[in-house]
Amino acid sequence: MKKRMLGFVLVGSMMLGFGIGTRAEEAEVNKTDESVTAVANEEVNKEKEEVSEPVKQVDPPKQVDQDVAAEKVIVKRKIESLNDTDAKDKVPGLLSRLEKAVTMEEVQAISNEADQLWADYALAIEVNSYKNTIRDLQKLNKITKEKADELIAKLDNAKTVQEAKDIFSEVAGLIDGNAFAEKKDKLISKVNELTKQGKLTKEQSDKFLGQIEASRYLAELEIIEAEVDKQVKLNETSGEGEFKEKYATIEASIKQYVEQNKLTKEQGDNFLAKLKKCQTIDELNALSNEIEKQVKDNEATKTTTTKPKSILPQTGEKQTMVTILIGLMIILGAGFVFFKKRQAKNN
């Protein structure tokens, strides 16, 4: 019995040893496989990283939008016109900010600031004019000093032109109408003269004349005059007034030359097309010279190609003469035959 039990123990020990050895080999194999797999995966991932590494893109050079650039030119002129106002010390800073602006919002914000400075300047002119008028009314004993001081204090606190007008309306009826009428006539003459000189366009002139006619107070006329001077300054900077007047003159002359047959219809259309492409005064002057030269060439061509009336018969006249000759020959032949027959009969 003991021998049998000992045999079972030996057999079990052998089986257990065999199983443990097998598991160790399997573990070793699995460990080796995992190492190989890890190395393979690492190489694959490395290759993927090398392949999938994003290509660095070079950003195109930043460009300012054309609309923004065009708006900046307009706003720059507006800002530069402030050099004639009390806000001229603000001009360098605004121009510096405008130069750095890259969006329409930035440019518009700067433009609004310039507009506000102009509005403040216009308000200051109007308030000062009203205050001077009130002091004059006080000197003429048309209002008391207390009333004058009260109105001037209100004007100093006015925030808008309309508010200043409302304050001044309390004494507007006491103003000397002669001074207003004289100022009005002088301003109308000034606007007309500036238009004649090409410093204001016809459209701008009509706008200012309409404002002058609608004005009621002396201060309003002074505000309008300040706006006129501002517009002239802008026109001189941009050349707008002179350009538009020159453009209109050339356009009218082309149409007139075509109507007078000094230019052909084709030549006129060609010159009008060139006119639309002109951008500067120099281009307009060059085109004007070209038109005048073409008109002279056309007149010279007409003179050399004019022929005197021919004294020789035309083709139709030649045919008529031949027909007449044939008719005469037939008549003479018939007469000759008739004459011969008559002579033979008499014989």
Side-chain angles (χ1 to χ4, degrees), residues 26 60 65 169 229 234:
E26 289 178 356
D65 187 86
S169 64
D229 293 338
L234 287 173

Side-chain angles (χ1 to χ4, degrees), residues 50 120 135 157 185 214 224 233 242:
E50 292 177 353
D120 293 341
R135 290 302 184 196
N157 294 321
D185 291 340
I224 295 170
K233 187 73 174 179
E242 183 181 0

Side-chain angles (χ1 to χ4, degrees), residues 65 139 145 163-164 168 192 207 221 236 272 280 283 298 317 331:
D65 187 86
K139 291 176 183 179
K145 183 179 183 304
E163 186 178 347
F168 184 71
N192 288 331
K207 182 189 75 171
L221 294 177
E236 289 175 350
L272 288 174
T280 65
E283 291 177 348
N298 289 350
E317 294 177 351
I331 292 173

Side-chain angles (χ1 to χ4, degrees), residues 200-218:
L200 287 175
T201 66
K202 182 67 166 56
E203 181 181 358
Q204 292 167 349
S205 175
D206 291 342
K207 182 189 75 171
F208 287 129
L209 291 175
Q211 291 176 351
I212 294 170
E213 289 298 331
S215 62
R216 297 176 297 165
Y217 309 128
L218 189 62

Side-chain angles (χ1 to χ4, degrees), residues 129-141:
S129 177
Y130 288 156
K131 289 164 71 173
N132 291 334
T133 303
I134 290 171
R135 290 302 184 196
D136 290 340
L137 293 173
Q138 178 191 343
K139 291 176 183 179
L140 295 172
N141 295 320

Side-chain angles (χ1 to χ4, degrees), residues 48-278:
K48 286 183 178 181
E49 289 177 357
E50 292 177 353
V51 172
S52 61
E53 183 179 357
V55 179
K56 293 184 179 180
Q57 297 181 351
V58 179
D59 294 333
K62 193 172 184 179
Q63 296 182 349
V64 179
D65 187 86
Q66 291 183 353
D67 292 338
V68 174
E71 185 67 18
K72 287 175 73 172
V73 173
I74 298 173
V75 176
K76 182 180 179 182
R77 293 172 184 164
K78 183 189 297 184
I79 294 172
E80 290 174 341
S81 68
L82 289 168
N83 283 315
D84 298 327
T85 72
D86 295 336
K88 59 184 178 182
D89 59 318
K90 304 285 187 181
V91 171
L94 289 173
L95 289 177
S96 177
R97 288 171 52 199
L98 180 66
E99 185 177 355
K100 298 175 183 178
V102 295
T103 66
M104 186 64 77
E105 289 75 14
E106 292 175 312
V107 175
Q108 192 59 52
I110 297 171
S111 177
N112 292 339
E113 288 186 42
D115 288 336
Q116 185 59 51
L117 289 173
W118 261 109
D120 293 341
Y121 175 64
L123 176 61
I125 292 177
E126 186 143 6
V127 167
N128 287 334
S129 177
Y130 288 156
K131 289 164 71 173
N132 291 334
T133 303
I134 290 171
R135 290 302 184 196
D136 290 340
L137 293 173
Q138 178 191 343
K139 291 176 183 179
L140 295 172
N141 295 320
K142 293 188 176 183
I143 59 174
T144 65
K145 183 179 183 304
E146 290 73 20
K147 184 63 176 178
D149 292 341
E150 176 190 344
L151 292 173
I152 289 174
K154 289 181 179 180
L155 287 170
D156 286 335
N157 294 321
K159 302 300 182 183
T160 64
V161 170
Q162 185 59 51
E163 186 178 347
K165 287 181 179 180
D166 293 340
I167 295 169
F168 184 71
S169 64
E170 296 183 37
V171 293
L174 302 176
I175 297 175
D176 184 0
N178 292 331
F180 172 79
E182 183 179 353
K183 179 68 175 179
K184 184 176 180 179
D185 291 340
K186 286 183 178 180
L187 187 53
I188 290 174
S189 299
K190 179 179 180 178
V191 171
N192 288 331
E193 183 61 27
L194 289 171
T195 305
K196 184 178 179 181
Q197 295 173 1
K199 295 182 179 181
L200 287 175
T201 66
K202 182 67 166 56
E203 181 181 358
Q204 292 167 349
S205 175
D206 291 342
K207 182 189 75 171
F208 287 129
L209 291 175
Q211 291 176 351
I212 294 170
E213 289 298 331
S215 62
R216 297 176 297 165
Y217 309 128
L218 189 62
E220 289 180 292
L221 294 177
E222 292 179 355
I223 290 295
I224 295 170
E225 185 171 20
E227 288 293 325
V228 169
D229 293 338
K230 171 189 171 184
Q231 188 63 62
V232 169
K233 187 73 174 179
L234 287 173
N235 289 349
E236 289 175 350
T237 303
S238 63
E240 178 185 357
E242 183 181 0
F243 181 89
K244 286 187 176 181
E245 292 295 332
K246 185 73 175 179
Y247 186 102
T249 300
I250 293 176
E251 184 178 32
S253 66
I254 292 172
K255 294 178 180 179
Q256 185 177 8
Y257 283 147
V258 172
E259 291 175 356
Q260 295 173 349
N261 293 323
K262 293 182 179 181
L263 288 175
T264 65
K265 181 66 167 55
E266 182 180 358
Q267 290 171 341
D269 292 341
N270 183 42
F271 284 130
L272 288 174
K274 288 183 177 180
L275 179 62
K276 292 180 179 179
K277 297 179 181 179
C278 290

